[in-house]
Amino acid sequence: MSRMIWFVYRSPYHGVLGKHVRELPDASVLDWFRRGWDEAAPDSNAWLQAELGVDVYGLHTVFDEVDKRSPPKPESMAELREHLKKHLYVEGRVMVDDHSVRALTDDDEVPLAYFFLDHALVDERPARLAYPVHGRWPLPTHTGTTAGHDDPVTTIAMSQILAADWDTPGTVIRVPGVRLPELAGWLRAADTWPEELTLLRGCIGPDDDLAAALDRMNRWGAWDDEAPDLRGMDGPHEDAHGVVRSVTTRGAGRQVIPGPLGQRRPALSRVEVTEHLAQAVLHMDDDFGYLQLFLFDDVWASEHRYLAKSLRRWFGRSWDPLK
């Protein structure tokens, strides 16, 4: 069976997970670029769209240079690195090693990043790359008979509503001593909590579960510029929940509600809650996509340890999962 490579485009414009993933029929990253030397001309944009399934900002410049000046094909990743350093248009930086090309850029609206990764690298570094190459919604939920750790912990990983830069791509919070089935009760009763959970805490009712809370969060329509308007939410839980009920009542039955950039469409969002994993992709804007939110405990993480580790890195570390 021939080996293939992965292409990952981290972009809020593409998909509910804020990324586009595709396998390419080449034995190595170098082979894919060498094939582009032969096939991309005379219309590199059209070729890239057919190859990758998306319009990747700036990538066409590599093959436009080939069409204009006919430089020799790179014979090594070192030669490819030199060509990309000179001729790839990026607003950030490009890194090339023996098994990957990773680029950081932006389109003057949002940060963007893309990765070409060979299978050997993905197989060798699953704790970093399992989630980046996972392109399907939802994540797997089964936990089998795995018992989890002796010390329970719930992890919350979320994207920024509008990421200002890929050096802070999101937020990761760990809640020790609590598994997912107890999280709603913990948030209701907690005297202090991470401020990123203020909205979720307010969305939890006095008796209901996490699924109902995420549904209320999906229908949130009060914003202070590009951030949720959380006035009145930092006091007792009963008061915070009253604010949420007031906001969601105003948007009840509406197909379109206020969002951070204009309009939100709650019907486009997706929420799935199981015993040890809750996941939501909440529509924020027709152009700028979705907020991703994952809540999982040590039981799920023990069964899906590479996904769990790479999720924490994707949302809590650098734009580059290999950094």
Side-chain angles (χ1 to χ4, degrees), residues 23-42:
E23 283 190 283
L24 301 169
D26 301 275
S28 70
V29 174
L30 179 62
D31 284 348
W32 183 83
F33 279 93
R34 284 171 55 83
R35 184 160 61 85
W37 247 252
D38 296 328
E39 298 178 4

Side-chain angles (χ1 to χ4, degrees), residues 124-141:
E124 180 185 341
R125 309 295 292 276
R128 292 173 178 258
L129 297 174
Y131 180 72
V133 301
H134 184 95
R136 302 179 305 279
W137 165 271
L139 298 186
T141 61

Side-chain angles (χ1 to χ4, degrees), residues 21-79:
V21 180
R22 176 170 283 197
E23 283 190 283
L24 301 169
D26 301 275
S28 70
V29 174
L30 179 62
D31 284 348
W32 183 83
F33 279 93
R34 284 171 55 83
R35 184 160 61 85
W37 247 252
D38 296 328
E39 298 178 4
D43 189 342
S44 60
N45 280 310
W47 184 80
L48 287 167
Q49 179 72 42
E51 275 288 303
L52 305 178
V54 290
D55 178 20
V56 181
Y57 187 78
L59 183 56
H60 66 93
T61 57
V62 171
F63 301 110
D64 289 349
E65 183 68 18
V66 174
D67 189 36
K68 289 176 184 177
R69 307 187 190 281
S70 299
K73 286 184 187 179
E75 297 295 333
S76 67
M77 291 299 277
E79 290 182 11

Side-chain angles (χ1 to χ4, degrees), residues 49-221:
Q49 179 72 42
E51 275 288 303
L52 305 178
V54 290
D55 178 20
V56 181
Y57 187 78
L59 183 56
H60 66 93
T61 57
V62 171
F63 301 110
D64 289 349
E65 183 68 18
V66 174
D67 189 36
K68 289 176 184 177
R69 307 187 190 281
S70 299
K73 286 184 187 179
E75 297 295 333
S76 67
M77 291 299 277
E79 290 182 11
L80 176 62
R81 180 189 300 111
E82 290 305 309
H83 184 84
L84 296 181
K85 293 280 189 183
K86 291 178 181 178
H87 302 299
L88 175 63
Y89 178 79
V90 291
E91 294 284 353
R93 52 193 177 274
V94 59
M95 289 175 284
V96 182
D97 58 31
D98 288 345
H99 300 282
S100 71
V101 169
R102 291 116 58 207
L104 173 68
T105 190
D106 69 72
D107 64 352
D108 298 327
E109 296 288 344
V110 294
L112 304 162
Y114 54 90
F115 314 96
F116 292 88
L117 310 164
D118 71 20
H119 263 273
L121 178 64
V122 174
D123 291 346
E124 180 185 341
R125 309 295 292 276
R128 292 173 178 258
L129 297 174
Y131 180 72
V133 301
H134 184 95
R136 302 179 305 279
W137 165 271
L139 298 186
T141 61
H142 64 275
T143 54
T145 59
T146 304
H149 298 148
D150 292 336
D151 298 321
V153 61
T154 289
T155 298
I156 298 138
M158 67 184 84
S159 61
Q160 293 182 344
I161 292 174
L162 290 175
D165 61 78
W166 279 142
D167 289 326
T168 53
T171 299
V172 174
I173 300 164
R174 289 170 69 80
V175 183
V178 176
R179 287 194 172 125
L180 195 64
E182 294 85 46
L183 182 65
W186 178 85
L187 284 169
R188 276 196 297 266
D191 294 327
T192 60
W193 56 91
E195 62 181 24
E196 293 89 350
L197 296 185
T198 300
L199 179 56
L200 178 59
R201 172 182 178 266
C203 288
I204 294 169
D207 301 309
D208 59 16
D209 58 16
L210 201 53
L214 290 172
D215 180 66
R216 291 192 183 97
M217 192 172 178
N218 181 41
R219 292 184 284 115
W220 185 258

